Amino acid sequence: FQYHGWTWDRLTAAVALNPGLVEVSSGRVEHEKSSFVINGTAQMDQWRMTPRSALRFSAVAEHTPIEGLEAALNADFPLRGFVTCRMEVTGFAGSLTGAGSVRIDNGTIGDEPFDSFRTDLQVTRSVWKLAGIQITKGLGRINGELTVEPARRFASGQLKGSDFRLADIKHLPLAASSLLPKAPVDGRLSFEVKGNGTPEALNAQGVWAIRGLGVAGTTVGDLRGTMAG
């Protein structure tokens, strides 16, 4: 079944429709091995939603493959893994407020695998904040936060990472990889980065360090640098 670009294998729900209101109760969307549960209401003006339309929406997914959700929502994220999430938003179409949480296990972003990702979600006046971000990969840890303003296509945030083993990283940061020899390397990577901007104009700056750098089995010391873009 397809609707407005969404494609799913099955939708089960109790639905109430009239020119002034749309209500979905106990909705379950399924596509291949992925599924999520939705509930929501939206006030309408002769079947049309306006910025002053009152909304209430909640969604829940339990350890479901991201790939199937992407296909169901006609989206394309550079992200794979199994997601567990809970989200509830209320307010008006032009100014939403809500909260929730997301966890992804056994994932990849781009081609880089990670063990787990988790964050709390906060929505205020349609601005989304990812608070308490935690990413793990082996002994490596990333902590930080990110704020996204969809209306402006603007994002800002900061991340701090520590204790990542170089031998386990498929794609090193460009600033570091350009300084390393073209041979098997090892060591522990840490970094701090902050930035803001739009997809077309992103500004970022930070510092990085490699402790106990080893090349072809020989320890050569420590390495530090900066990154900007």
Side-chain angles (χ1 to χ4, degrees):
F1 185 82
Q2 293 185 344
Y3 177 75
H4 282 214
W6 290 30
T7 302
W8 55 73
D9 300 327
R10 179 182 301 172
L11 168 64
T12 56
V15 180
L17 297 172
N18 64 59
L21 181 71
V22 174
E23 182 174 6
V24 177
S25 303
S26 302
R28 184 177 183 87
V29 177
E30 300 179 46
H31 181 75
E32 297 178 350
K33 296 181 179 180
S34 300
S35 65
F36 60 95
V37 176
I38 58 173
N39 291 277
T41 60
Q43 290 183 344
M44 309 291 281
D45 181 5
Q46 294 300 312
W47 300 108
R48 294 183 301 177
M49 187 178 297
T50 72
R52 297 300 301 168
S53 294
L55 302 176
R56 179 184 60 81
F57 176 81
S58 65
V60 177
E62 294 285 351
H63 200 68
T64 195
I66 292 175
E67 296 91 326
L69 295 182
E70 289 181 342
L73 301 175
N74 192 30
D76 184 17
F77 307 118
L79 192 61
R80 297 292 182 267
F82 294 87
V83 62
T84 296
C85 68
R86 288 174 170 80
M87 189 70 209
E88 183 169 347
V89 294
T90 60
F92 300 98
S95 181
L96 296 174
T97 299
S101 62
V102 176
R103 180 182 177 92
I104 299 172
D105 294 299
N106 301 322
T108 62
I109 181 166
D111 292 324
E112 191 66 52
F114 59 88
D115 297 328
S116 68
F117 165 94
R118 76 164 306 277
T119 185
D120 294 322
L121 297 175
Q122 302 169 1
V123 187
T124 304
R125 296 182 179 178
S126 296
V127 175
W128 294 69
K129 183 174 182 179
L130 284 68
I133 294 173
Q134 298 178 14
I135 303 173
T136 65
K137 178 182 175 70
L139 296 176
R141 298 289 186 272
I142 294 177
N143 297 284
E145 61 182 30
L146 178 67
T147 300
V148 181
E149 301 178 48
R152 297 174 55 201
R153 301 179 69 244
F154 182 87
S156 63
Q158 56 187 11
L159 297 172
K160 181 177 181 179
S162 62
D163 216 22
F164 284 90
R165 187 183 176 197
L166 293 183
D168 295 337
I169 301 176
K170 294 179 64 176
H171 302 288
L172 289 171
L174 181 60
S177 61
S178 64
L179 297 176
L180 296 175
K182 305 303 182 183
V185 296
D186 206 352
R188 298 290 178 174
L189 171 69
S190 62
F191 63 89
E192 293 185 34
V193 61
K194 61 181 179 180
N196 61 70
T198 65
E200 296 79 17
L202 182 63
N203 302 303
Q205 53 276 328
V207 296
W208 57 268
I210 298 174
R211 175 171 49 88
L213 175 64
V215 180
T218 301
T219 301
V220 298
D222 299 337
L223 190 64
R224 299 178 182 274
T226 61
M227 45 188 164

